[in-house]
Each structure stands twice: as C-alpha cells, then as structure tokens.
Amino acid sequence: MTKIQCTPDNKQKLMAIQDSMDVLSGKWKISIISSICYYNERRFSDILNDVAGISNKMLSKELKELEMNKIVNRTVMDTQPITVQYELTDHGKTLQTIINNLSEWGQSHRNEIFGK
Amino acid sequence: MTKIQCTPDNKQKLMAIQDSMDVLSGKWKISIISSICYYNERRFSDILNDVAGISNKMLSKELKELEMNKIVNRTVMDTQPITVQYELTDHGKTLQTIINNLSEWGQSHRNEIFGK
DNA sequence: CAGTATCCAAAGGGATACTG
DNA sequence: CAGTATCCCTTTGGATACTG
C-alpha cells in the first residue's frame, strides 16, 4: 500500500484547516452558500425556503457570520417593502472547489457506508 | 466577471455535501484525522496531546464516530498495559484532497480577512 | 419583507474521579 | 494506558411574537 504523503509542515496546515472549518462548519453554512451560488443572487425569504428546516433566527445569524467573513454580500434593494439580496463575494466564489470536492466525497462516502 | 458555474443538479449535490459535513464538521474531527494522518498511526494519549484543548471524553466520542464512519481503524495492541493504535482506513485516506484544499483555502481566507 | 426579541428545552462539552 | 461515568454549567437553536 502506498504510504500517505504527510509533509512536516502539517501542523501549520492544521491551523489553516481549522480556520476553514470555523467558517464552514456551522450547521447550515454550506447549504446557505450553495443556495446563493445556485441562484447567483437570492433574497432572505427565498433562502429560508431553499434550506429545509432552517429558522429565520438561524438564517439571520448565519448570514451575518458569512458577511463578516466576506463570503457573501448583502444589498438592501429600494423596493416597497424592502427586499435584501445576497450574493457570493469573489472570495466566496473561491469555495467552489471545496464544495465540489465535498460533494464528490459525500457520494463516495455514502457508497462506502451503505454499500453501492 | 465570470458567471459562476452552477449546474442544475446542485440540489442533489447539496445532499452529498451535507453527508460530508455530517462526518467532518464536528469540533475536533479534522484535527484528529490530520493528527493520525501526520503520524500514519497514533495512540489515544498521543492524539490527546496533538489536539490542543480536547478532553479524553471528547476524543473518545469523536474517535468512535470516525470509526463508525469507517474513517479510522482501531487496533488494540497486546502490550502491558494495553495501548490502542488508530490509523486511517483507505476510505479515510481519500480525504487527503479535501484536507489539502481546506488548508489552502484557510490560508487565503486568513489573508482576505486580516490582509496579507 | 427582513429581520429582532424573548422564552425555554435540549444538547454540548469541561472538570473530575473512577475502572480494567 | 485507554477509556467510562457523573456532575453541572454553557451554548444551541426551535417556537412564537413583535417591529420598521
């Protein structure tokens, strides 16, 4: 069997991994990001519908954190009543690779656990 | 600006992403996986030292979950007193790509938030 | 519409002590 | 050494109601 490649600077990498997980590991974060990504821009109430089971309180809190981390942009639209658009920042869009990898791994994991 | 690539089957992908996150998003999971990966095989008390701040209760619980998900193998060594070796399964090793991506993204994220 | 505020039950998780 | 068991405080997050 091939020995897994583990370079000596893994401990520094570990910190970076934790930084990523701090941003992404919330219960709904990835779902919210994917919802916005899917529609390119998305309103609060629409995300509320996209993400099954989330409450407005949670969505509000998670969006705030994503905004602080510069993953999403929040834009108040001048409508009556007001609506709010969310979209991914350029930085947020760099998550695409990870999202795709997580998606692929999730499928192979499902096969591994439940048999193919 | 380039329009982000979002294929119509994103909703199915979303489920797979959630499957991944269910396995990986625990507070210490990635750190534990990385610790075992770094040393190729690792004993309970060593991981306890590697992962700063974790308690034996949490480590025990997280390792059990990782074992259930076939990410790690647990081997009781015939020593006195007994020791227990943990190592990544072949399936666990397929997480390498994601771990590397998370590490890279975490660094670029740090630059994004705190300036480079 | 897009949140905020409050209440409260359930889960998370640290500290400590104990066991084979 | 490798856990388990218990105590108990803290955090999480759903339900509901309210505001600009």
Side-chain angles (χ1 to χ4, degrees):
Chain A
M1 190 194 311
T2 324
K3 189 167 189 303
I4 196 164
Q5 179 66 25
C6 283
T7 54
D9 56 337
N10 259 31
K11 299 194 172 177
Q12 286 73 17
K13 289 185 178 180
L14 204 56
M15 285 180 45
I17 291 169
Q18 281 301 338
D19 290 342
S20 294
M21 295 308 283
D22 287 347
V23 176
L24 302 176
S25 73
K27 188 175 178 182
W28 312 97
K29 294 274 168 55
I30 293 279
S31 300
I32 293 168
I33 293 170
S34 299
S35 165
I36 297 171
C37 159
Y38 182 76
Y39 292 100
N40 232 33
E41 73 256 330
R42 203 69 174 146
R43 289 181 308 157
F44 186 89
S45 57
D46 292 326
I47 304 173
L48 207 53
N49 281 318
D50 291 339
V51 182
I54 196 171
S55 64
N56 55 350
K57 175 180 162 186
M58 274 300 100
L59 180 55
S60 174
K61 184 188 143 217
E62 302 272 77
L63 280 171
K64 232 175 240 168
E65 292 177 18
L66 289 174
E67 203 188 344
M68 280 176 40
N69 282 309
K70 299 183 182 177
I71 309 293
V72 303
N73 276 331
R74 178 178 179 276
T75 312
V76 178
M77 310 301 281
D78 191 13
T79 54
Q80 191 51 246
I82 59 163
T83 52
V84 179
Q85 293 276 351
Y86 289 91
E87 59 187 341
L88 295 188
T89 62
D90 286 348
H91 178 49
K93 291 176 186 175
T94 64
L95 283 167
Q96 273 275 296
T97 305
I98 287 175
I99 288 180
N100 288 338
N101 286 339
L102 285 172
S103 173
E104 282 174 30
W105 190 84
Q107 294 193 34
S108 79
H109 178 62
R110 180 175 283 269
N111 289 340
E112 183 75 22
I113 298 300
F114 299 109
K116 74 161 179 59
Chain B
M1 189 195 309
T2 325
K3 190 167 187 305
I4 195 165
Q5 178 66 24
C6 283
T7 55
D9 57 337
N10 259 31
K11 298 193 172 178
Q12 285 73 18
K13 288 185 178 179
L14 204 56
M15 286 180 44
I17 292 168
Q18 281 301 339
D19 290 342
S20 295
M21 294 308 283
D22 287 347
V23 176
L24 303 176
S25 73
K27 188 175 179 183
W28 313 96
K29 294 275 168 53
I30 293 279
S31 300
I32 293 168
I33 293 170
S34 299
S35 165
I36 298 171
C37 159
Y38 181 76
Y39 292 100
N40 231 34
E41 73 258 328
R42 203 69 174 145
R43 289 181 308 157
F44 186 88
S45 57
D46 292 327
I47 305 173
L48 207 53
N49 280 318
D50 290 341
V51 182
I54 197 170
S55 65
N56 54 350
K57 176 180 162 186
M58 274 300 99
L59 180 55
S60 174
K61 184 188 142 216
E62 303 272 78
L63 280 171
K64 232 175 240 168
E65 292 177 19
L66 289 174
E67 203 188 345
M68 280 176 41
N69 281 309
K70 299 183 181 176
I71 308 294
V72 303
N73 276 330
R74 178 179 181 276
T75 311
V76 179
M77 310 302 280
D78 191 14
T79 55
Q80 191 51 248
I82 59 163
T83 52
V84 179
Q85 291 277 351
Y86 290 91
E87 58 187 342
L88 294 189
T89 62
D90 286 348
H91 178 50
K93 291 177 185 175
T94 64
L95 282 167
Q96 273 275 296
T97 305
I98 287 175
I99 289 181
N100 288 338
N101 286 339
L102 286 172
S103 173
E104 283 175 31
W105 191 84
Q107 294 193 34
S108 79
H109 177 62
R110 181 176 282 269
N111 289 340
E112 183 76 22
I113 298 300
F114 299 109
K116 76 161 177 58

